[in-house]
Structure formats: structure tokens, C-alpha cells
Amino acid sequence: MIAAAAAYRTESDAFFRGMIALRELPMRARRLLERRPIEPQPPFGIDDFTLLQRCENEVVFGLAGRFWRPDFDLVPLSGGQDFLDLNEPGIAKLALNFAVRADGSGVTMLSTETRVLCVDRAARRRFAPYWLLIRPVSGLIRRRTLGIIRRTCEGGAAPAA
């Protein structure tokens, strides 16, 4: 199940793609108003995250940036230690995990958790309203992701993108 979670691509979900397109709308509108060309970019997704840790029952991805900005202002990371050491003012660090736990009766539970650390007060002040806005959608995306991974592991087809 961890292999399926690690291999899952959020951008394969039409709902996720739609929400990211909505999230990126202000950036695109601003570029249009400024008459700057909109260069094609790969869609935001799990490939923007850095693998921080993987073991038999958990996989953890990290992302750092100023997520409240229209372009996310992501900070490149080379790995787990780079993520831990990052202490740049105004930055938020996000860790996303998938964990598997067997209950002993043949039932396996897959869970996901997102943790955010704002490295200073300025980042916290900017991140808080952003998180209040996106939190419900983030929760929906997580539930959809868990459901898709579950169906994949159970041998059912994932929903069409």
C-alpha cells in the first residue's frame, strides 16, 4: 500500500487539477493584465514535493515556500536534511505523509497527515488566512486521494482523470 501511495500522482485527479487551476487563476490574470506571456508550466502536483523519507510503512514528502503567493514561491530542496535545515525568514515548510498501519485482524489502514511549520511570525501571519481558505479543499483532496489509492490497492479502477 505504501508503494501505491508513493506512486500516486495528485495531478491525475480532475478535481485536484481544477482546484489548482482555480488557485493559480490570480497569477494568470495578473500576467494577462501586465501583458506578460504565460509560459506553459507543468501542473503543480506531487512532483513539486521532495521525498524526505520512505520506509515499509510510511512515505513523507516535503515542500517549502510562500504558499500564499500566487506562484507558491517554492524553495528548491535536495532532500530531508535540506528540508530540516531550511530556516529562511518568511518561509513555511510543509510535510505530507502517507502511513500504513495493520490492526492485526487483517484490516490495513492508510492515513495521511499534513504538517506545516512557519519559520517565523511573518510567515505565520501570512500563512494563517491562506490555510483557513484552502483547508476545506485540502481535506477533500486528501479524502479523494485516500479513496483512489484504496481502490487501486483493492484492484478496482481509479476514477477517470
Side-chain angles (χ1 to χ4, degrees):
M1 192 172 281
I2 280 300
Y8 178 71
R9 295 293 170 257
T10 50
E11 57 274 17
S12 68
D13 180 11
F15 179 76
F16 177 85
R17 287 193 315 271
M19 292 299 99
I20 290 299
L22 186 61
R23 160 67 178 82
E24 293 176 347
L25 193 60
M27 175 181 62
R28 294 182 183 284
R30 191 168 121 206
R31 287 185 176 160
L32 283 173
L33 289 173
E34 294 172 353
R35 297 193 172 158
R36 290 190 309 171
I38 299 175
E39 297 102 26
Q41 299 174 353
F44 178 81
I46 199 70
D47 289 335
D48 290 297
F49 286 72
T50 300
L51 178 64
L52 300 179
Q53 177 183 351
R54 182 173 177 174
C55 61
E56 69 181 48
N57 63 347
E58 184 178 32
V59 61
V60 183
F61 299 98
L63 189 69
R66 293 172 181 89
F67 311 128
W68 51 90
R69 289 189 179 172
D71 65 355
F72 302 98
D73 196 21
L74 298 179
V75 175
L77 299 168
S78 62
Q81 195 59 51
D82 199 22
F83 180 82
L84 291 172
D85 292 344
L86 181 64
N87 200 25
E88 184 179 323
I91 292 291
K93 301 192 300 186
L94 181 150
L96 164 70
N97 88 327
F98 291 98
V100 173
R101 187 185 69 223
D103 74 354
S105 69
V107 175
T108 302
M109 175 76 73
L110 175 67
S111 64
T112 183
E113 185 175 17
T114 302
R115 296 180 183 191
V116 176
L117 172 70
C118 296
V119 301
D120 60 12
R121 292 177 83 179
R124 262 192 310 280
R125 275 195 311 272
R126 290 193 169 104
F127 181 78
Y130 170 74
W131 181 245
L132 287 173
L133 183 64
I134 68 147
R135 183 176 179 215
V137 173
S138 178
L140 277 172
I141 290 169
R142 297 286 181 266
R143 284 189 291 282
R144 287 180 61 86
T145 299
L146 291 171
I148 292 167
I149 294 168
R150 176 185 178 188
R151 286 187 294 281
T152 300
C153 289
E154 290 175 346

